[in-house]
Amino acid sequence: MLPIASRVILNQDVVEIGDPDDLTPDIILEIKTYLESLKPWRKGPFKIFGIDIEGEWQSHMKWNRILPHISSLTHKHVLDIGSNSGYYLFRMMAEQPESVVGMDPAERYYRQFAILNRFASIENIKYIPQRVEAFKENPTPFDTVFCMGILYHNRDPKALLSHIYALMVKGGELVIDTLIYPGKNRFIFEPESRYAGMNNVHHLPTLSVLLDWMKESGFSRNQVVDTNQTTIEEQRQTNWSPGYSLKNFLLGEDKNKTTEGYPAPLRAVVIGKKCN
């Protein structure tokens, strides 16, 4: 029988679940071995019964940039698209929503979340291991939808935005975090093969195009609240995420270009409303 954590701390950079004193050293070792079998851990950080899980992404850095700009999540129904290990789901729970639903089709990420929440035992988080396009209807439309690090992986970003719009309540809020292409012109960059080592980046719009996509999908009062070039501090190789990371795909000492010769990853956070 798996243990239940004596404490769960969600309102800090490191999501803490459990205390080392909850368990014997032998059981903690067994848990660590299982957690290690789920590598790579892309999102974090976590501390599980004293076991430090350092994900490839220091996800708290993004959350700390976004949190001051969003509407209160208290008593809201929240959807997080592309939930990965569930780091942001746990951080959202610290804001006291009514419910949080996470979606991600990757089995490994679902298993990472499942074991963490088995220890944390938070009842009003639901994780659906599917793409959001499979989510056709929900009895309770969402007040807030997060779509972070997903749009550029989608072959039809405008269709995705329209689908999200249909899942939301009137007055709901969409929080988009996505890669963009630098510049003020209307331009959509489509990599020939890979971008920063990724083979599933389909469209990088300039900011003006991204805002057009949101407007065309029905969103209004769209505000750019942050632009940020990803650093090798925020995304890096760790023992919990071995293998290549961002620094391997930046061109030599020039951190402003990828190894393919493209502009280095630049991200924007845009918040829009469903007003109609």
Side-chain angles (χ1 to χ4, degrees):
M1 183 175 180
L2 292 175
I4 300 297
S6 63
R7 64 174 185 173
V8 178
I9 304 176
L10 307 177
N11 61 348
Q12 61 184 24
D13 292 348
V14 180
V15 171
E16 289 194 44
I17 300 173
D19 187 275
D21 292 337
D22 292 345
L23 307 171
T24 66
D26 287 346
I27 294 177
I28 289 177
L29 181 59
E30 288 180 12
I31 290 172
K32 182 178 181 182
T33 299
Y34 179 73
L35 295 174
E36 288 177 335
S37 76
L38 298 178
K39 291 180 182 179
W41 288 75
R42 300 299 186 192
K43 304 295 171 67
F46 298 98
K47 184 183 286 289
I48 311 301
F49 299 109
I51 303 164
D52 291 310
I53 300 177
E54 289 285 347
E56 178 186 12
W57 285 87
Q58 298 212 67
S59 303
H60 62 280
M61 297 175 70
K62 179 184 294 187
W63 187 246
N64 290 341
R65 290 194 297 267
I66 290 174
L67 186 59
H69 302 288
I70 66 174
S71 299
S72 172
L73 300 182
T74 303
H75 305 311
K76 300 291 182 62
H77 296 281
V78 181
L79 173 64
D80 179 39
I81 301 170
S83 296
N84 202 273
S85 62
Y87 175 86
Y88 295 118
L89 299 178
F90 291 114
R91 295 303 307 272
M92 292 169 193
M93 288 306 306
E95 306 304 312
Q96 300 181 335
E98 183 70 22
S99 67
V100 172
V101 174
M103 298 195 73
D104 200 305
E107 180 184 356
R108 183 185 303 274
Y109 300 150
Y110 174 71
R111 289 170 63 197
Q112 289 173 351
F113 167 80
I115 190 63
L116 298 184
N117 199 42
R118 177 61 183 82
F119 298 141
S121 192
I122 299 173
E123 294 183 356
N124 51 339
I125 295 181
K126 181 179 180 180
Y127 194 116
I128 302 173
Q130 295 179 347
R131 295 171 60 89
V132 71
E133 289 86 349
F135 202 19
K136 298 302 183 184
E137 60 183 48
N138 188 50
T140 305
F142 295 103
D143 300 289
T144 305
V145 176
F146 292 87
C147 181
M148 302 189 292
I150 296 299
L151 203 62
Y152 48 90
H153 292 316
N154 197 287
R155 293 186 182 277
D156 192 343
K158 288 197 288 185
L160 175 59
L161 289 169
S162 295
H163 184 67
I164 292 170
Y165 187 88
L167 295 173
M168 297 173 63
V169 301
K170 183 178 180 180
E173 183 169 271
L174 170 64
V175 182
I176 288 279
D177 166 85
T178 189
L179 289 173
I180 59 171
Y181 196 83
K184 296 183 179 180
N185 297 329
R186 296 190 77 263
F187 177 70
I188 302 173
F189 172 63
E190 297 179 351
E192 292 183 5
S193 56
R194 292 178 177 268
Y195 172 76
M198 296 179 283
N199 62 2
N200 58 350
V201 174
H202 303 295
H203 310 281
L204 294 186
T206 56
L207 197 51
S208 59
V209 171
L210 175 60
L211 292 170
D212 285 347
W213 285 353
M214 293 183 68
K215 183 177 180 180
E216 291 166 10
S217 301
F219 294 98
S220 58
R221 293 164 57 188
N222 301 310
Q223 293 187 315
V224 181
V225 299
D226 185 73
T227 57
N228 184 276
Q229 183 168 315
T230 307
T231 67
I232 58 175
E233 177 189 7
E234 184 169 357
Q235 184 186 10
R236 76 275 192 254
Q237 180 189 65
T238 73
N239 290 334
W240 288 86
S241 184
Y244 294 121
S245 190
L246 178 60
K247 73 175 183 179
N248 301 107
F249 300 109
L250 295 179
L251 190 61
E253 297 300 319
D254 185 357
K255 298 296 189 290
N256 294 315
K257 288 186 178 180
T258 70
T259 51
E260 301 93 353
Y262 303 138
L266 176 68
R267 310 187 79 91
V269 177
V270 182
I271 297 178
K273 298 284 187 177
K274 179 178 178 176
C275 292
N276 296 320

